[in-house]
Amino acid sequence: VLYVAKERLRGQAILFSEKHQAEINETTGIMRGLQEANMDDEFSINYQFVVDSQTGVPVGAEALARWSSPVLGNVSPSKFIKNAEKSGVINQVTETLLRKTLAEVSTWPGDLFISFNLSAHDIGSSHHIHRLSEIVQSSNFPPKRLTFEITETTLLRDLNRAHDTLQLLKGLGSKVALDDFGTGYSSLSYVQNLPIDRLKIDRSFLHDIEQCRTSQAVVKAILELCESLDLDCIVEGVETEQQFEVLQGLGRMKIQGYLFSKPLPSSDALTYLQFFPEPKLENDPVTGGMVKQSRMR
Ligand code: G
Ligand code: MN
């Protein structure tokens, strides 16, 4: 068929097949890279801070996966997560990432919350969810400061299973956040019926929030919903001062976005934290309060 198509459409068909082939090669390369990866060495975590809109002080951070392959270089998370799911190593990837995250953040000063993303495949396997809870329990990080982020679409795939999974995570004392809120069906019934602690308003509402009254109204409505349901709320994707000003007009909230923090490796994240006075830091044996004091002045 391809041969005939090539004959008839010449350039177009050939271009298509070359592009197609390149994609297949990339997928194959990523899958092989994952199979052969030394995950502990090749995966790392970047942290993006979440700040209080009124004070600018960090209150938490989201853990974001990074893969640096010796063969392929840096591969974006959207690509490697998708291929890890296809090749059946996603559970191993998630377990490695969670273990690494908890080991790193348990050395951080203060009492920030840490968010960790789970995919549909993660919540689809109860064996795997039990493994994840073992990892949490055997870490030095307090489970109550840990939040698991799950997207609306993931939840909707299998609501009954999602409910059981969330219960299990909540049983650890951890929190659950609904990620990318507003992009899916945003059915208010499951916000009410599932054990959710926090909504993350998707960054698509931020793109045009300065000009677009609809986006402003939607963000405002979600903030009010959170207030009345006693849910925590994070506005994602804040990139400019102008966006930030509009948001400030809507009240006090938690904010995540490039304006306040890019995703940072743990060492840079620790440097960032040193700019915020935190009384508990002074006695912290890990970072050493003296170092922090001298840096700040
Ligand atoms: O879907 P989730 O919320 O987990 O996605 C987090 C992703 O969003 C990360 O890859 C992060 O780098 C990206 N991100 C974080 N802040 C911003 C921002 O201000 N603007 C844009 N465009 N992307 C952001
Ligand atoms: Mn997320």
Side-chain angles (χ1 to χ4, degrees), residues 53-240:
S53 67
Q54 227 157 65
T55 60
V57 171
V59 292
E62 177 172 1
L64 297 161
R66 295 289 180 263
W67 180 29
S68 170
S69 154
V71 184
L72 304 164
N74 293 330
V75 183
S76 78
S78 59
K79 280 184 185 164
F80 77 74
I81 298 291
K82 193 175 64 193
N83 286 296
E85 288 179 349
K86 277 195 213 156
S87 59
V89 294
I90 183 67
N91 292 356
Q92 204 191 334
V93 170
T94 310
E95 288 167 21
T96 308
L97 294 171
L98 183 61
R99 212 176 291 113
K100 289 199 98 163
T101 301
L102 295 175
E104 276 180 341
V105 298
S106 52
T107 69
W108 288 14
D111 56 1
L112 300 185
F113 71 77
I114 298 295
S115 283
F116 185 87
N117 292 285
L118 293 181
S119 74
H121 274 253
D122 292 317
I123 73 161
S125 154
S126 65
H127 173 254
H128 172 59
I129 290 295
H130 279 97
R131 295 265 312 134
L132 295 181
S133 50
E134 280 165 23
I135 291 172
V136 173
Q137 281 167 324
S138 61
S139 83
N140 288 323
F141 191 76
K144 68 175 187 346
R145 283 171 47 207
L146 183 62
T147 305
F148 288 97
E149 293 192 6
I150 298 168
T151 67
E152 283 186 299
T153 16
T154 297
L155 276 187
L156 283 179
R157 275 205 204 171
D158 186 344
L159 266 182
N160 288 332
R161 173 161 269 175
H163 191 269
D164 294 349
T165 305
L166 301 193
Q167 285 298 0
L168 205 141
L169 299 173
K170 296 279 297 176
L172 293 170
S174 298
K175 307 267 189 314
V176 173
L178 207 46
D179 208 356
D180 305 343
F181 189 76
T183 55
Y185 292 96
S186 307
S187 163
L188 300 182
S189 71
Y190 63 76
V191 169
Q192 210 176 16
N193 296 327
L194 290 168
I196 291 162
D197 303 284
R198 177 186 296 151
L199 300 185
K200 296 188 77 175
I201 303 181
D202 190 70
R203 63 171 174 271
S204 55
F205 295 107
L206 269 285
H207 283 151
D208 57 359
I209 198 158
E210 297 139 73
Q211 317 82 279
C212 178
R213 294 180 60 93
T214 312
S215 290
Q216 287 173 25
V218 170
V219 170
K220 187 159 177 259
I222 301 176
L223 287 167
E224 281 165 4
L225 173 79
C226 288
E227 176 114 38
S228 45
L229 294 179
D230 205 18
L231 289 171
D232 205 22
C233 187
I234 296 177
V235 181
E236 285 200 275
V238 183
E239 296 181 359
T240 68

Side-chain angles (χ1 to χ4, degrees), residues 25-38:
N25 291 348
E26 187 186 56
T27 303
T28 316
I30 292 176
M31 285 202 185
R32 185 175 305 141
L34 283 169
Q35 299 286 353
E36 291 167 2
N38 179 337

